[in-house]
Amino acid sequence: MSSNTVFLPLTAAAAILFSVASAAADAPGALAPADTFAKARARMLRIEQSAEAPVEYRVQQAVPCTGGTAGPFPCDGIDLLSFLPLNTIGGGNGNDIWGWTDPATGTEYALMGRTNGTAFVDISDPENPVYVANLPTQTSNSTWRDIKTRGNFAFIVSEAGGHGMQVFDLTQLAGVSNPPQTLAPDTVYSGFGNAHNIVVNEDSGFAYAVGTSTCSGGLHMVDISNATSPQFAGCVSSDGYTHDAQCVNYVGPDPDYQGREICINSNEDTVTIYDVTDKAAPVQVSRTGYAGAEYTHQGWLTEDHRYFLLDDELDEIFNGNNTRTRIWDMTNLDAPVIIGVEDGPTSATDHNQYVHDGKVYQANYRAGLRVFDLSDIANGNLIEAGFFDIYPQNDSASTNGAWSVYPYFDSGTVVVSGIEQGLFMVRLSDNGGSDFELQPALPGVAGEANTWTTLNGTPGVAHLVFFGFAEGSSTINIGPCQNVTTGLVNARGYAFGLSDAEGSATAFRNVAAALAGVTVYFQAIDLATCQVSNTTATTF
């Protein structure tokens, strides 16, 4: 993370308010015929090299998130279980990740894509993961590899020329007695050569390759009900290149499509929805653009199929906004609408996100893993529940760091793939984030005395409220709490209170009249545990 270190002596707690270089993701250097201008621009941008100095990554054992870090990694509410650098799981650079649980043994495996193949890692003991096997790339190396599963099979594609879709029987991993072993695919589907992503609807038994040189780059549909004998099923080509998609047996609120198979496509500058129930005659349901579109990259439905969370990969770079998630209401699939735009606390570029158990898990490149609670999504809001930053150097808008995340293991283990780093095993802390809570300023009026209340802190200690004029990151040093990462740019101490027997404190401060109309961001720190609270914002 970028760091503005501020040294605050304890007596300053009530101070006055004003007193691994790598090529990045998602496109080969040679442009396919289906590329649009937007995609060409995206590809050229992301081929650029990072100017950051490379970092040496070493194997990490379990480290809880305390005082804002887990080992060398900034965090909040997410513990590090272990980390395997790329050179311990087959080398190359990292890309996509997925997961699979052996139904016979309950063993959990991380399936991590690399430039030169796919690594299969036993994470059933996530503090002691085992690199079990390698599946080499089918043809040549490529920055882009994507993996999904259905039943006991993995389906793997790559941008490498002539690669096709590898089909791999995952049950053979249990028979590996002397890991790691190099294994081979059970079959290869050759209906296309290169593909950017692979989408699988486990319920319907169909796979959808996207970004191929077939179907104008749109959905290339494959029947995988018999995994070792995949069969071409049809094309969706009328809206051109599809970068990523989610295909589901729809159970959402639109009665016109309940029980139908629906694909929601991220199509560079639109969200395009198709009814693909009849593979021979797919029907475009809607095609919707949005303000500020730069590169419509990827998104995921909530579990009730009511809302769709979308990331635009290039708006942070071209438009200068913080990490932006657009929240779409899918009540009417013929006319979806954006009901909220949530800007995260950093300027990092977003990449892939997945929804599980009321939370969305986002791989946001240099900001690492960000987890948001969806309990207020109906009002267009996401509530940050924790983060784990695998790229400590900074959170700038670029394409290094976390490529993707897989949050679906029953154990609660979450795996994150790092482009230059490797494989991270993490888990939300018991409370899924900090219980230490800061309530908004009251009455929130400039020129008057205001109060800030903290809850669930340590009894009988000082709780410091600090402020900044933008969300981002900086560190503070105060008393026993040294180099604590905050969620604010240039965080400065403002007010403090002494907590009662219940761990609640109230801080008082006269807010300058000059702040009328100004938005100020606040957090608090518990000076016993060095735990940082949530962020609140007040426009005085």
Side-chain angles (χ1 to χ4, degrees), residues 74-132:
C75 61
D76 178 31
I78 298 178
D79 299 325
L80 176 64
L81 302 178
S82 59
F83 165 65
L84 294 177
L86 286 160
N87 62 8
T88 67
I89 56 172
N93 275 2
N95 42 57
D96 191 49
I97 195 163
W98 206 246
W100 175 72
T101 300
D102 188 330
T105 64
T107 302
E108 295 178 341
Y109 292 92
L111 285 51
M112 180 165 169
R114 310 183 321 272
T115 52
N116 54 358
T118 304
F120 302 94
V121 182
D122 179 346
I123 62 163
S124 51
D125 178 358
E127 296 185 9
N128 296 283
V130 177
Y131 174 38
V132 174

Side-chain angles (χ1 to χ4, degrees), residues 8 30 110-111 165 170 175 190 230 264 278 334 362 364 386 430 459-460 505 507 532:
L8 294 173
L111 285 51
M165 181 177 71
L170 294 160
S190 58
I264 302 178
D278 182 353
D334 295 292
Q362 300 183 340
N364 289 341
D430 289 342
V532 175

Side-chain angles (χ1 to χ4, degrees), residues 66-342:
T66 57
T69 61
F73 303 107
C75 61
D76 178 31
I78 298 178
D79 299 325
L80 176 64
L81 302 178
S82 59
F83 165 65
L84 294 177
L86 286 160
N87 62 8
T88 67
I89 56 172
N93 275 2
N95 42 57
D96 191 49
I97 195 163
W98 206 246
W100 175 72
T101 300
D102 188 330
T105 64
T107 302
E108 295 178 341
Y109 292 92
L111 285 51
M112 180 165 169
R114 310 183 321 272
T115 52
N116 54 358
T118 304
F120 302 94
V121 182
D122 179 346
I123 62 163
S124 51
D125 178 358
E127 296 185 9
N128 296 283
V130 177
Y131 174 38
V132 174
N134 175 52
L135 177 66
T137 183
Q138 192 63 26
T139 53
S140 58
N141 292 352
S142 171
T143 300
W144 305 276
R145 190 171 309 279
D146 201 66
I147 308 158
K148 297 296 184 296
T149 61
R150 182 177 188 266
N152 294 329
F153 289 88
F155 303 88
I156 304 167
V157 300
S158 173
E159 287 268 20
H163 186 281
M165 181 177 71
Q166 295 175 314
V167 180
F168 179 79
D169 185 348
L170 294 160
T171 62
Q172 61 187 297
L173 297 175
V176 173
S177 58
N178 186 26
Q181 289 187 8
T182 298
L183 302 175
D186 291 82
T187 192
V188 177
Y189 173 79
S190 58
F192 54 82
N194 64 294
H196 186 69
N197 276 320
I198 185 73
V199 178
V200 169
N201 182 352
E202 296 185 57
D203 294 326
S204 71
F206 284 88
Y208 302 83
V210 300
T212 75
S213 57
T214 67
C215 304
S216 299
L219 301 176
H220 179 117
M221 299 182 279
V222 184
D223 185 344
I224 57 170
S225 56
N226 181 351
T228 57
S229 183
Q231 301 294 320
F232 174 72
C235 269
V236 172
S237 57
S238 58
D239 193 34
Y241 187 95
T242 297
H243 185 83
D244 208 338
Q246 184 185 10
C247 299
V248 298
N249 290 356
Y250 181 73
V251 297
D254 189 335
D256 294 339
Y257 297 97
Q258 289 170 353
R260 310 288 292 176
E261 187 170 11
I262 300 297
C263 290
I264 302 178
N265 300 343
S266 296
N267 274 26
E268 301 193 302
D269 56 0
T270 64
V271 171
T272 302
I273 302 175
Y274 276 90
D275 182 337
V276 296
T277 308
D278 182 353
K279 306 299 182 292
V283 177
Q284 182 173 297
V285 175
S286 59
R287 182 180 186 274
T288 311
Y290 54 92
E294 291 294 342
Y295 197 77
T296 310
H297 178 264
Q298 187 263 359
W300 210 251
L301 287 164
T302 54
E303 288 150 313
D304 60 2
H305 296 178
R306 171 68 183 271
Y307 303 101
F308 182 70
L309 303 173
L310 175 72
D311 66 75
D312 182 307
E313 190 177 11
L314 297 182
D315 58 351
E316 293 84 10
I317 294 173
F318 287 118
N319 299 338
N321 48 264
N322 274 10
T323 311
R324 178 162 291 177
T325 305
R326 291 171 172 83
I327 304 168
W328 296 71
D329 188 330
M330 293 289 182
T331 301
N332 181 0
L333 294 182
D334 295 292
V337 295
I338 294 176
I339 62 167
V341 174
E342 185 72 32

Side-chain angles (χ1 to χ4, degrees), residues 421-507:
Q421 298 80 17
L423 174 62
F424 292 84
M425 277 62 61
V426 300
R427 182 177 295 153
L428 269 67
S429 305
D430 289 342
N431 57 11
S434 172
D435 279 338
F436 183 48
E437 179 183 344
L438 175 66
Q439 297 187 327
L442 293 174
V445 177
E448 297 185 13
N450 282 255
T451 63
W452 291 260
T453 299
T454 54
L455 303 173
N456 306 317
T458 304
V461 301
H463 294 172
L464 168 69
V465 177
F466 52 90
F467 79 97
F469 291 105
E471 293 184 288
S473 67
S474 60
T475 59
I476 59 172
N477 297 276
I478 179 166
C481 300
Q482 298 295 303
N483 296 313
V484 176
T485 301
T486 77
L488 308 180
V489 174
N490 195 19
R492 287 158 280 177
Y494 189 51
F496 69 93
L498 198 64
S499 60
D500 60 21
E502 302 299 321
S504 175
T506 301

Side-chain angles (χ1 to χ4, degrees), residues 26-48:
D26 287 341
L31 302 180
D35 286 332
T36 64
F37 173 77
K39 185 158 186 68
R41 178 176 62 174
R43 289 172 181 246
M44 288 186 288
L45 172 78
R46 287 176 287 174
I47 289 167
E48 294 178 1

